[in-house]
Amino acid sequence: MRLDVVITGVGGQGNVLASRIIARAAMEFGLPVKTSEAIGMAQREGVVMSQVRMGFGQYGALIPDGGGDVLLGFELAETVRGLPKVKRGGVVLANTENIFPVSVSLGLSEYNPVKLALYLKENTENLHFIDATALAVQAGTGKATNIVMLGALSSLNVLPFEDYLLKEVMLDLIPPRLHQVNLKAFELGQQAMGGA
């Protein structure tokens, strides 16, 4: 069993925590795991890409272009940017949130959410949109966008382990005072994909 997961977004969205939750859940399930993270120049709103490779027969921590089984896109433009990492027929779960880069504010580039969504629709076979940030706010904090995405992922039947393992690891990695809001966020993500 092998599964390669790419997580892409911008700084501050909880990308790294999400990758650590997936990786540790896979390890607790008994799979070997390798991870990699590329963090942009800015701590907040810089590009962040994490890669989680689980299973037997993995040779390195970096997923080759066209090799990813799953792409979790925490931000729409970053989902488009990460698309080359996913194999044909791979699962793409895209948060519809838009975070406009500084270059857009300065008038140096364009950010068109409609064109980005259309590009994803035209270039993926297994695409799922979710307004994860709105669901996170509904759960109690926009900072739980990553957990909404993990809940949604757990309902797509691509992970080799059950959702309870993701939840257990999540609860172990976050402070107890944040457990309830994150459990709610996880459940809302599942429900958005027709699960739990």
Side-chain angles (χ1 to χ4, degrees), residues 74 94-97 130-137 141-142 144-146 148-149:
F74 286 11
N95 182 16
T96 56
E97 181 179 22
I130 180 172
D131 192 347
T133 304
L135 292 172
V137 170
T141 176
T145 296
N146 57 345
V148 172
M149 294 292 285

Side-chain angles (χ1 to χ4, degrees), residues 147-148 151-152 155 167 180-193 195-196:
I147 304 302
V148 172
S155 291
K167 284 195 273 191
Q180 284 309 115
V181 69
N182 281 281
L183 283 170
K184 180 68 174 170
F186 192 92
E187 290 166 8
L188 288 171
Q190 287 183 310
Q191 291 166 11
M193 292 295 115

Side-chain angles (χ1 to χ4, degrees), residues 92-106:
V92 177
L93 178 60
N95 182 16
T96 56
E97 181 179 22
N98 309 127
I99 298 176
F100 298 96
V102 174
S103 60
V104 172
S105 304
L106 296 174

Side-chain angles (χ1 to χ4, degrees), residues 22-56:
I22 292 170
R24 189 160 139 203
M27 286 188 291
E28 292 191 9
F29 187 68
L31 295 173
V33 177
K34 293 182 181 170
T35 64
S36 172
E37 291 153 1
I39 299 172
M41 294 297 288
Q43 283 187 310
R44 296 259 174 216
E45 298 183 9
V47 178
V48 179
M49 180 181 284
S50 298
Q51 300 176 49
V52 181
R53 306 192 81 186
M54 64 184 85
F56 299 92

Side-chain angles (χ1 to χ4, degrees), residues 70-114:
V70 177
L71 170 62
L72 291 183
F74 286 11
E75 193 277 337
L76 201 57
E78 295 308 323
T79 305
V80 170
R81 191 190 314 259
L83 202 55
K85 296 300 278 183
V86 182
K87 65 177 63 166
R88 189 167 183 79
V91 174
V92 177
L93 178 60
N95 182 16
T96 56
E97 181 179 22
N98 309 127
I99 298 176
F100 298 96
V102 174
S103 60
V104 172
S105 304
L106 296 174
L108 302 174
S109 64
E110 178 187 346
Y111 187 113
N112 187 321
V114 174

